[in-house]
Amino acid sequence: MKNKLWGLAVLALFSALFFIGCAQNNPTVSINPTWTEKPTKITIVFTEPFVDNIDDLEDDLKEYSEKFTDWYKAELQKNYDSLTHNSINLDFKQVNIAGMSIEHDSVGTTEFNIPKPSTINMNEGYYIAISNAGFSRKEETYVYQAYSNSNYLFGSALDSSYIKNSGNVIIDRGLWFFADYAIYNQSGERVAFGHEAFRNKFPYAMHRKHWEKCVAEFVKKSLEETPILN
């Protein structure tokens, strides 16, 4: 009976590992495979970003606490210029909520909110629309747990010699950034869209560099695998 239970435990473990290995992460971006043209001009249109905790902004970017969008625009420009090596004519334009409509699409079961500038001047280059951008500092607390006997999983599941150990409480800190974006060609057709949400971790205190890294990572993600970087 003991051997039978052990066999069932091993079978369950390998079944779980199989399904974990085969599972696909939800997509965060969709790029039209027929898009091969590298733009010569791009207008980056964006709405004002949201900051969850104004105190963080005043601590890390005090000089921009009353004009955070100016900092955000400068960081977008710095990173788009850097990644395109100044090979594309770039223009940056802030719009209010009325200047950006939101469409909806999906990839499989993943739903996307897709920004689109209310006005796109045809035949005047590509557009990158960015909306619903936000910064949020979060802390996650959990207890590290481990098993003192590694034979628990690969030996007898009924072996009472294993002990579950609880270690120190771990606090995982990070500045989260999230945003929706879409890219349109010079005919006004959508050629790519996506949603990014990621965390820039810090061990003790948050600084200006964490805000900068968030924008840099987003810009990089928005251009990855597109003809813009060809």
Side-chain angles (χ1 to χ4, degrees), residues 1-13 152-153 155-159:
M1 181 67 176
K2 181 177 180 180
N3 289 337
K4 183 177 180 181
L5 289 173
W6 173 81
L8 290 173
V10 173
L11 179 61
L13 171 65
Y152 173 62
L153 289 178
S156 172
L158 300 181
D159 187 350

Side-chain angles (χ1 to χ4, degrees), residues 74-84 212 215-217 219:
E75 289 298 308
L76 288 175
Q77 184 169 354
K78 178 179 71 177
N79 286 282
Y80 277 115
D81 282 342
S82 175
L83 284 174
T84 59
E212 294 173 349
V215 179
E217 184 67 16
V219 172

Side-chain angles (χ1 to χ4, degrees), residues 186-211:
Q186 57 191 7
S187 298
E189 301 168 330
R190 189 202 313 150
V191 293
F193 60 88
H195 172 81
E196 298 298 339
F198 48 83
R199 177 176 54 184
N200 189 269
K201 293 185 180 181
F202 53 89
Y204 303 109
M206 193 167 69
H207 301 289
R208 177 190 295 260
K209 67 179 182 180
H210 298 104
W211 299 78

Side-chain angles (χ1 to χ4, degrees), residues 41-212:
K41 179 182 179 181
I42 301 176
T43 301
I44 293 88
V45 182
F46 61 95
T47 55
E48 181 179 3
F50 168 78
V51 178
D52 186 42
N53 190 335
I54 299 300
D55 290 341
D56 290 333
L57 184 58
E58 293 177 347
D59 289 340
D60 302 333
L61 298 164
K62 187 174 182 179
E63 68 272 34
Y64 290 103
S65 59
E66 299 296 330
K67 47 181 181 179
F68 181 61
T69 305
D70 291 347
W71 174 89
Y72 180 63
K73 178 181 179 180
E75 289 298 308
L76 288 175
Q77 184 169 354
K78 178 179 71 177
N79 286 282
Y80 277 115
D81 282 342
S82 175
L83 284 174
T84 59
H85 304 288
N86 296 310
S87 63
I88 299 175
N89 181 15
L90 300 177
D91 189 23
F92 295 81
K93 181 181 180 182
Q94 180 188 355
V95 297
N96 56 28
I97 296 176
M100 192 83 76
S101 62
I102 303 298
E103 300 179 343
H104 303 279
D105 205 338
S106 62
V107 178
T109 59
T110 303
E111 300 288 334
F112 288 86
N113 295 320
I114 303 171
K116 184 176 183 179
S118 299
T119 300
I120 292 182
N121 296 322
M122 308 290 280
N123 301 317
E124 291 193 10
Y126 279 59
Y127 281 76
I128 297 178
I130 305 169
S131 73
N132 299 325
F135 296 82
S136 179
R137 173 175 51 84
K138 295 182 180 180
E139 293 185 357
E140 296 177 354
T141 303
Y142 58 94
V143 176
Y144 175 77
Q145 295 179 336
Y147 291 95
S148 63
N149 186 351
S150 60
N151 290 330
Y152 173 62
L153 289 178
F154 300 101
S156 172
L158 300 181
D159 187 350
S160 61
S161 65
Y162 78 89
I163 301 175
K164 188 176 183 181
N165 295 321
S166 294
N168 295 328
V169 172
I170 297 175
I171 301 177
D172 210 1
R173 301 177 176 89
L175 177 64
W176 281 92
F177 178 80
F178 46 88
D180 299 315
Y181 69 96
I183 304 176
Y184 299 86
N185 65 17
Q186 57 191 7
S187 298
E189 301 168 330
R190 189 202 313 150
V191 293
F193 60 88
H195 172 81
E196 298 298 339
F198 48 83
R199 177 176 54 184
N200 189 269
K201 293 185 180 181
F202 53 89
Y204 303 109
M206 193 167 69
H207 301 289
R208 177 190 295 260
K209 67 179 182 180
H210 298 104
W211 299 78
E212 294 173 349

